[in-house]
Amino acid sequence: MASILETRGLTMQFGGVTAVDNVDFSLERHELRCLIGPNGAGKSTFFKCLTGQLKPSAGHVFIENEETTGWDPHAIARLGIGIKTQVPSVMDGLSVRENIWLAAYRTHGRERARRFADDAIDRLSLGDIASATVGRLSHGERQRVELGIVISMEPWLILLDEPAAGMTGEEVARMAELIGELNAEAAIVVVEHDMQFIRSIAKTVTVFNQGRILAQDDVDTIMTDPRVRDVYLGKKV
Ligand SMILES: Nc1ncnc2c1ncn2[C@@H]1O[C@H](COP(=O)(O)OP(=O)(O)OP(=O)(O)O)[C@@H](O)[C@H]1O
């Protein structure tokens, strides 16, 4: 199967630190891939090189065979890629509906924005708080609004950096469910720390360590891989 997202020799250096070290990565259409690894392994830096938040020091990124190395995040999003970074992109002074409508408007135009926004609000069960000002919401609710913004654009590829961070157990479970639903229509890459969350959503897992891919396999194999346990320094995986 042809890959829709690929890196070749991707490298990112910060001064003397090689955060991402010559990484070859490949994602197929409709895949759901989780990226894990201990603190400082290079996951976020790798993610940022994919999304255009960082320009890699060396190597290449290809999206559907088009080289996107060094493109800025807007240009990458315009390819139909939904990106949720660790930095919130919601506008606190606007309501949930306004935030999502605005994102849908930018992608689909005025005529169709309302339908896409309504659909995203529905799918994320945001109806009860659709009129609430985003700045007043809980952290978990804001994360859901961010995902609403992403899905209102109808992406075919979704890149999520720590979507479950700071959520309650119930919210994490709902987020896992949502990701499963979204994966019916889009390929998804998820960078995440929460192992329970990973277990509940993952199919194939890529493990980073010291800027490189240490292991890549189905979730059960990864969770019992002694090399993976080792790099987590005895932490229960
Ligand atoms: N902007 C930066 N400037 C300098 N060094 C950086 C920068 N961003 C990351 N690093 C370094 O690059 C390495 C990889 O960091 P990165 O944040 O990508 O790891 P991570 O796997 O995402 O870790 P975490 O799980 O803690 O978020 C670390 O040594 C980090 O200190």
Side-chain angles (χ1 to χ4, degrees):
M1 213 188 272
S3 74
I4 52 163
L5 171 65
E6 195 174 330
T7 71
R8 285 191 217 139
L10 197 71
T11 299
M12 183 74 212
Q13 286 169 322
F14 298 107
V17 176
T18 305
V20 173
D21 191 1
N22 202 19
V23 170
D24 294 337
F25 174 90
S26 170
L27 182 82
E28 288 175 5
R29 198 169 293 283
H30 296 302
E31 250 204 272
L32 169 54
R33 182 75 64 83
C34 293
L35 309 184
I36 67 168
N39 290 335
K43 310 176 291 293
S44 287
T45 303
F46 177 74
F47 182 92
K48 286 175 184 165
C49 290
L50 301 180
T51 59
Q53 293 162 274
L54 285 173
K55 299 200 187 317
S57 317
H60 308 272
V61 182
F62 299 92
I63 295 176
E64 283 211 305
N65 297 321
E66 177 157 25
E67 176 147 20
T68 59
T69 318
W71 286 23
D72 69 51
H74 292 294
I76 293 192
R78 274 198 295 273
L79 293 174
I81 300 174
I83 301 168
K84 185 193 160 316
T85 65
Q86 283 185 29
V87 182
S89 60
V90 283
M91 281 179 254
D92 280 349
L94 299 183
S95 71
V96 170
R97 184 180 299 283
E98 286 163 343
N99 264 284
I100 295 177
W101 183 87
L102 212 55
Y105 168 70
R106 284 196 194 111
T107 313
H108 306 292
R110 185 176 293 275
E111 299 263 297
R112 295 167 8 135
R114 180 154 182 190
R115 181 161 59 81
F116 282 98
D118 284 348
D119 183 52
I121 287 169
D122 224 33
R123 290 176 68 183
L124 288 159
S125 313
L126 289 165
D128 290 349
I129 54 169
S131 304
T133 306
V134 165
R136 302 175 73 99
L137 300 181
S138 72
H139 176 75
E141 288 169 334
R142 288 166 62 95
Q143 295 271 71
R144 257 193 299 144
V145 175
E146 294 236 7
L147 202 56
I149 288 173
V150 167
I151 70 168
S152 73
M153 301 177 200
E154 285 238 306
W156 57 272
L157 170 62
I158 302 176
L159 307 174
L160 303 171
D161 199 357
E162 301 199 13
M167 285 188 156
T168 65
E170 205 176 304
E171 287 168 343
V172 172
R174 176 71 189 125
M175 181 60 84
E177 215 178 323
L178 272 170
I179 287 176
E181 287 169 22
L182 293 177
N183 189 220
E185 290 139 40
I188 306 181
V189 176
V190 184
V191 175
E192 195 40 75
H193 273 288
D194 184 326
M195 286 301 175
Q196 207 172 340
F197 179 67
I198 295 288
R199 277 179 189 280
S200 65
I201 64 167
K203 292 168 189 161
T204 309
V205 175
T206 301
V207 186
F208 276 77
N209 187 45
Q210 297 185 342
R212 295 185 177 181
I213 294 178
L214 172 78
Q216 183 168 292
D217 218 318
D218 66 85
V219 62
D220 292 329
T221 308
I222 286 295
M223 295 299 176
T224 53
D225 185 330
R227 293 172 305 160
V228 176
R229 285 172 179 268
D230 276 356
V231 298
Y232 276 93
L233 292 171
K235 260 199 208 168
K236 196 163 170 274
V237 175

mmCIF file of all heavy atoms in Angstrom, residues 14 17 19 37-46 86 162 193, ligand 1:
data_model
loop_
_atom_site.group_PDB
_atom_site.id
_atom_site.type_symbol
_atom_site.label_atom_id
_atom_site.label_comp_id
_atom_site.label_asym_id
_atom_site.label_seq_id
_atom_site.Cartn_x
_atom_site.Cartn_y
_atom_site.Cartn_z
ATOM 1 N N PHE A 14 19.124 20.998 17.662
ATOM 2 C CA PHE A 14 19.065 22.274 18.387
ATOM 3 C C PHE A 14 20.458 22.475 18.967
ATOM 4 O O PHE A 14 20.809 21.811 19.943
ATOM 5 C CB PHE A 14 18.053 22.227 19.525
ATOM 6 C CG PHE A 14 16.641 21.978 19.090
ATOM 7 C CD1 PHE A 14 16.034 20.753 19.325
ATOM 8 C CD2 PHE A 14 15.891 22.971 18.465
ATOM 9 C CE1 PHE A 14 14.725 20.519 18.946
ATOM 10 C CE2 PHE A 14 14.579 22.746 18.076
ATOM 11 C CZ PHE A 14 13.993 21.520 18.323
ATOM 12 N N VAL A 17 22.293 19.465 20.355
ATOM 13 C CA VAL A 17 21.354 18.365 20.658
ATOM 14 C C VAL A 17 20.680 17.880 19.376
ATOM 15 O O VAL A 17 20.081 18.673 18.645
ATOM 16 C CB VAL A 17 20.253 18.837 21.654
ATOM 17 C CG1 VAL A 17 19.229 17.737 21.898
ATOM 18 C CG2 VAL A 17 20.875 19.310 22.950
ATOM 19 N N ALA A 19 17.715 16.193 18.341
ATOM 20 C CA ALA A 19 16.415 15.786 18.908
ATOM 21 C C ALA A 19 15.754 14.714 18.063
ATOM 22 O O ALA A 19 15.066 13.833 18.579
ATOM 23 C CB ALA A 19 15.513 17.012 19.019
ATOM 24 N N GLY A 37 7.250 7.208 23.717
ATOM 25 C CA GLY A 37 8.678 7.253 24.055
ATOM 26 C C GLY A 37 8.859 8.057 25.326
ATOM 27 O O GLY A 37 7.994 8.869 25.673
ATOM 28 N N PRO A 38 9.971 7.840 26.013
ATOM 29 C CA PRO A 38 10.193 8.567 27.263
ATOM 30 C C PRO A 38 10.368 10.073 27.032
ATOM 31 O O PRO A 38 10.524 10.508 25.891
ATOM 32 C CB PRO A 38 11.489 7.943 27.800
ATOM 33 C CG PRO A 38 12.158 7.338 26.618
ATOM 34 C CD PRO A 38 11.077 6.949 25.660
ATOM 35 N N ASN A 39 10.372 10.836 28.105
ATOM 36 C CA ASN A 39 10.573 12.284 27.997
ATOM 37 C C ASN A 39 11.864 12.583 27.240
ATOM 38 O O ASN A 39 12.887 11.945 27.488
ATOM 39 C CB ASN A 39 10.671 12.930 29.385
ATOM 40 C CG ASN A 39 9.334 12.921 30.092
ATOM 41 O OD1 ASN A 39 8.289 12.886 29.446
ATOM 42 N ND2 ASN A 39 9.366 12.932 31.404
ATOM 43 N N GLY A 40 11.774 13.533 26.322
ATOM 44 C CA GLY A 40 12.970 13.952 25.591
ATOM 45 C C GLY A 40 13.350 13.023 24.442
ATOM 46 O O GLY A 40 14.404 13.191 23.823
ATOM 47 N N ALA A 41 12.482 12.048 24.122
ATOM 48 C CA ALA A 41 12.809 11.069 23.071
ATOM 49 C C ALA A 41 12.786 11.674 21.677
ATOM 50 O O ALA A 41 13.339 11.100 20.739
ATOM 51 C CB ALA A 41 11.829 9.897 23.138
ATOM 52 N N GLY A 42 12.099 12.808 21.534
ATOM 53 C CA GLY A 42 12.059 13.468 20.227
ATOM 54 C C GLY A 42 10.708 13.403 19.531
ATOM 55 O O GLY A 42 10.570 13.858 18.396
ATOM 56 N N LYS A 43 9.691 12.889 20.224
ATOM 57 C CA LYS A 43 8.359 12.736 19.617
ATOM 58 C C LYS A 43 7.784 14.072 19.159
ATOM 59 O O LYS A 43 7.323 14.212 18.032
ATOM 60 C CB LYS A 43 7.356 12.111 20.619
ATOM 61 C CG LYS A 43 7.830 10.868 21.312
ATOM 62 C CD LYS A 43 6.828 10.385 22.335
ATOM 63 C CE LYS A 43 6.670 11.268 23.560
ATOM 64 N NZ LYS A 43 7.845 11.333 24.436
ATOM 65 N N SER A 44 7.793 15.040 20.077
ATOM 66 C CA SER A 44 7.185 16.336 19.755
ATOM 67 C C SER A 44 7.969 17.053 18.664
ATOM 68 O O SER A 44 7.385 17.701 17.795
ATOM 69 C CB SER A 44 7.122 17.233 20.990
ATOM 70 O OG SER A 44 6.132 16.748 21.843
ATOM 71 N N THR A 45 9.270 16.930 18.706
ATOM 72 C CA THR A 45 10.087 17.576 17.674
ATOM 73 C C THR A 45 9.794 16.940 16.313
ATOM 74 O O THR A 45 9.619 17.645 15.312
ATOM 75 C CB THR A 45 11.586 17.451 18.026
ATOM 76 O OG1 THR A 45 11.787 18.018 19.320
ATOM 77 C CG2 THR A 45 12.458 18.161 17.016
ATOM 78 N N PHE A 46 9.680 15.616 16.290
ATOM 79 C CA PHE A 46 9.339 14.909 15.052
ATOM 80 C C PHE A 46 7.977 15.384 14.553
ATOM 81 O O PHE A 46 7.813 15.736 13.376
ATOM 82 C CB PHE A 46 9.325 13.391 15.324
ATOM 83 C CG PHE A 46 8.913 12.568 14.148
ATOM 84 C CD1 PHE A 46 9.780 12.380 13.079
ATOM 85 C CD2 PHE A 46 7.656 11.989 14.088
ATOM 86 C CE1 PHE A 46 9.402 11.621 11.973
ATOM 87 C CE2 PHE A 46 7.266 11.236 12.988
ATOM 88 C CZ PHE A 46 8.146 11.045 11.925
ATOM 89 N N GLN A 86 0.146 21.141 20.818
ATOM 90 C CA GLN A 86 0.016 21.292 22.277
ATOM 91 C C GLN A 86 -0.409 22.711 22.638
ATOM 92 O O GLN A 86 -0.935 22.947 23.716
ATOM 93 C CB GLN A 86 1.339 20.963 22.957
ATOM 94 C CG GLN A 86 1.592 19.471 23.034
ATOM 95 C CD GLN A 86 2.845 19.137 23.816
ATOM 96 O OE1 GLN A 86 3.247 19.873 24.713
ATOM 97 N NE2 GLN A 86 3.474 18.041 23.476
ATOM 98 N N GLU A 162 -0.587 14.972 21.921
ATOM 99 C CA GLU A 162 -1.097 14.808 23.286
ATOM 100 C C GLU A 162 -2.558 15.241 23.445
ATOM 101 O O GLU A 162 -2.855 16.139 24.245
ATOM 102 C CB GLU A 162 -0.193 15.553 24.274
ATOM 103 C CG GLU A 162 1.234 15.031 24.213
ATOM 104 C CD GLU A 162 2.056 15.385 25.444
ATOM 105 O OE1 GLU A 162 1.449 15.813 26.446
ATOM 106 O OE2 GLU A 162 3.267 15.214 25.391
ATOM 107 N N HIS A 193 1.365 10.348 25.925
ATOM 108 C CA HIS A 193 2.076 9.816 27.086
ATOM 109 C C HIS A 193 1.243 8.788 27.836
ATOM 110 O O HIS A 193 1.768 7.881 28.449
ATOM 111 C CB HIS A 193 2.324 10.945 28.104
ATOM 112 C CG HIS A 193 3.570 11.689 27.848
ATOM 113 N ND1 HIS A 193 4.804 11.172 28.081
ATOM 114 C CD2 HIS A 193 3.779 12.930 27.357
ATOM 115 C CE1 HIS A 193 5.721 12.052 27.761
ATOM 116 N NE2 HIS A 193 5.118 13.131 27.300
HETATM 117 N N1 LIG B 1 13.184 24.365 21.006
HETATM 118 C C1 LIG B 1 14.150 23.584 21.508
HETATM 119 N N2 LIG B 1 15.378 24.064 21.750
HETATM 120 C C2 LIG B 1 16.361 23.281 22.237
HETATM 121 N N3 LIG B 1 16.220 21.968 22.522
HETATM 122 C C3 LIG B 1 15.008 21.431 22.310
HETATM 123 C C4 LIG B 1 13.908 22.209 21.796
HETATM 124 N N4 LIG B 1 12.820 21.389 21.677
HETATM 125 C C5 LIG B 1 13.221 20.176 22.109
HETATM 126 N N5 LIG B 1 14.519 20.196 22.484
HETATM 127 C C6 LIG B 1 15.303 19.060 22.972
HETATM 128 O O1 LIG B 1 15.155 18.018 22.034
HETATM 129 C C7 LIG B 1 15.037 16.764 22.692
HETATM 130 C C8 LIG B 1 13.729 16.095 22.291
HETATM 131 O O2 LIG B 1 12.641 16.827 22.845
HETATM 132 P P1 LIG B 1 11.127 16.541 22.498
HETATM 133 O O3 LIG B 1 10.313 17.569 23.199
HETATM 134 O O4 LIG B 1 10.958 16.387 21.048
HETATM 135 O O5 LIG B 1 10.913 15.128 23.188
HETATM 136 P P2 LIG B 1 9.551 14.391 23.541
HETATM 137 O O6 LIG B 1 9.766 12.957 23.234
HETATM 138 O O7 LIG B 1 8.423 15.042 22.862
HETATM 139 O O8 LIG B 1 9.484 14.615 25.102
HETATM 140 P P3 LIG B 1 8.214 14.858 26.045
HETATM 141 O O9 LIG B 1 7.535 13.540 26.073
HETATM 142 O O10 LIG B 1 8.831 15.213 27.343
HETATM 143 O O11 LIG B 1 7.391 15.938 25.420
HETATM 144 C C9 LIG B 1 15.164 17.046 24.172
HETATM 145 O O12 LIG B 1 16.507 16.864 24.540
HETATM 146 C C10 LIG B 1 14.768 18.505 24.279
HETATM 147 O O13 LIG B 1 15.395 19.117 25.381
#
